[in-house]
Amino acid sequence: MAVFFLPSRSRSLCLTLMLFFTNIAAQSQQTNGTNFSCSANSPPSCETYVTYIAQSPNFLSLTNISDIFDTSPLSIARASNLEQEDDNLIPDQVLLVPLTCGCTGNRSFANISYEINKGDSYSFVATTSYENLTNWHAVMDLNLDLSPNTLPVGVKIIFPLLCKCPSKNQLYKGIKYLITYMWQPNDNVSFVSAKFGASPEAILTENNYGQNFTAAVNLPVLIPVTGLPDLIQPPSHGRKGRIHLSVIIGVSLGCTLLTVVLTVLLVYLYRLKMKTLNRSASSVETADKLLSGVSGYVSKPTMFEIDEIMEGTMNLSEECKIGESVYKAHIEGHVLAVKKFKEDVSEELRILQKVNHGNLVKLMGVSSGNDGNCFVVYEYAENGSLED
């Protein structure tokens, strides 16, 4: 058997050609199961979504991911059920990226402008950065003026991402979006339908894989949905930190406010109690003075409770008033006359002691309120005053 040895340059060329045709064979099968061709019954363009899986090292940030899709981090966050500020992601976190889908030739794509970095190639960007949402020969078809082997750093390249708009029949049935989803090794129709809130029958109908989606692994498929799915996102470390910090700050402020309120309340209650005690002490002192003044005139003077005075005179109502500062009162079944004093009552008591006479109304007792008012209680003269 003859053995031929090729120069190193020739071996490199052969290897390149082998990889070239291998990639063609592999990527040409990318859409064999799912039809991404334009449909006459579909609108010329539509707003849709593609899924993207966060990956290390370069694509664990909403900012970095939004850059390659030429969109904003906020639009991805809103579509993916994330907080706006949750820029840090975790590996394998699933996102929804909003795109505008339309027809390019007979194929349905979302054309994204991508800036070439050092070491980039059509195949590398298609499989790594865009996670097989496109293929390198579709990229080459849209960028015929550039050589795929010598891509200048910084040049803008159009990368067509596979997508599709719902047909009129699907729109009539309530299908709002056909989400482009990269089928994962552990996926099955039931799991994916539950994840996106889609009908299993609709997934099977839209993708030509039968009941077995094994051939669809790592390839894009279409998920018909009636509305934007509410993705369940894992909590990120950044979000936990912000939540914990917010809780700590909130609890601290709450405790501080509660302490201030309790302190003010305690001071108020203390002052109120002291004021009440002072009033009570003043009332007791006044009562003692009244009793000592009356004791010379009445052998057993009665110290009426202020509540009895108020109740008997209906809170000193005008209906009970029978003279200037004098009120008719019903106390313990007796009809009495109550005279109110705002100033010192000792002068009147001294006068009563001097003019003590059987024909004068009898003094029954006294009362003192916490507000400083004093009351002298007499027997009630049924026939009116001496003046009358």
Side-chain angles (χ1 to χ4, degrees), residues 29-228:
Q29 298 174 1
Q30 183 167 328
T31 57
N32 283 350
T34 302
N35 184 9
F36 285 93
S37 62
C38 292
S39 171
N41 294 324
S42 297
S45 66
C46 65
E47 298 301 317
T48 189
Y49 297 86
V50 298
T51 59
Y52 193 83
I53 298 177
Q55 55 181 316
S56 179
N58 298 323
F59 300 106
L60 291 179
S61 162
L62 278 182
T63 301
N64 291 350
I65 294 173
S66 65
D67 285 344
I68 66 170
F69 284 97
D70 197 20
T71 186
S72 69
L74 177 59
S75 64
I76 299 177
R78 286 176 174 173
S80 305
N81 193 29
L82 291 171
E83 297 293 336
Q84 178 179 349
E85 65 273 14
D86 283 341
D87 189 58
N88 296 324
L89 306 172
I90 62 175
D92 300 326
Q93 189 167 349
V94 178
L95 306 173
L96 284 174
V97 181
L99 297 174
T100 299
C101 188
C103 285
T104 304
N106 63 345
R107 300 295 298 279
S108 184
F109 293 116
N111 294 325
I112 304 298
S113 177
Y114 175 86
E115 183 175 327
I116 294 296
N117 298 306
K118 185 177 180 181
D120 280 348
S121 66
Y122 290 161
S123 178
F124 176 81
V125 176
T127 58
T128 304
S129 298
Y130 289 112
E131 300 178 348
N132 287 324
L133 288 170
T134 185
N135 53 65
W136 71 267
H137 59 274
V139 180
M140 189 169 63
D141 289 343
L142 283 184
N143 300 275
L144 296 175
D145 56 332
L146 293 173
S147 171
N149 299 320
T150 57
L151 296 175
V153 174
V155 69
K156 295 284 188 177
I157 302 293
I158 299 299
F159 276 79
L161 307 186
L162 292 163
C163 61
K164 195 170 184 179
C165 297
S167 65
K168 292 181 180 179
N169 186 42
Q170 287 175 320
L171 292 171
Y172 178 78
K173 292 180 179 180
I175 300 299
K176 192 172 183 180
Y177 304 110
L178 297 177
I179 296 177
T180 304
Y181 172 68
M182 198 61 55
W183 200 266
Q184 302 300 304
N186 296 325
D187 280 345
N188 58 62
V189 175
S190 297
F191 173 77
V192 174
S193 65
K195 184 173 187 176
F196 290 95
S199 163
E201 293 76 16
I203 296 176
L204 293 172
T205 301
E206 189 63 36
N207 303 279
N208 301 317
Y209 289 103
Q211 296 290 330
N212 188 358
F213 273 65
T214 303
V217 172
N218 295 325
L219 294 179
V221 299
L222 292 172
I223 310 297
V225 295
T226 57
L228 193 64

Side-chain angles (χ1 to χ4, degrees), residues 281-348:
S282 176
S283 177
V284 172
E285 183 180 355
T286 302
D288 291 340
K289 289 182 179 180
L290 288 173
L291 288 175
S292 62
V294 174
S295 61
Y297 181 70
V298 181
S299 59
K300 291 183 179 180
T302 299
M303 190 65 195
F304 290 93
E305 295 290 339
I306 189 65
D307 293 339
E308 293 179 301
I309 300 295
M310 291 296 108
E311 183 179 356
T313 61
M314 294 190 292
N315 291 323
L316 304 178
S317 72
E318 289 296 322
E319 296 180 10
C320 297
K321 197 170 184 178
I322 56 177
E324 185 177 356
S325 301
V326 181
Y327 300 85
K328 182 178 180 181
H330 293 82
I331 301 175
E332 296 182 352
H334 300 284
V335 180
L336 302 172
V338 176
K339 187 174 183 179
K340 176 183 177 183
F341 292 88
K342 294 182 179 180
E343 299 177 354
D344 191 4
V345 73
S346 58
E347 182 63 26
E348 175 143 335

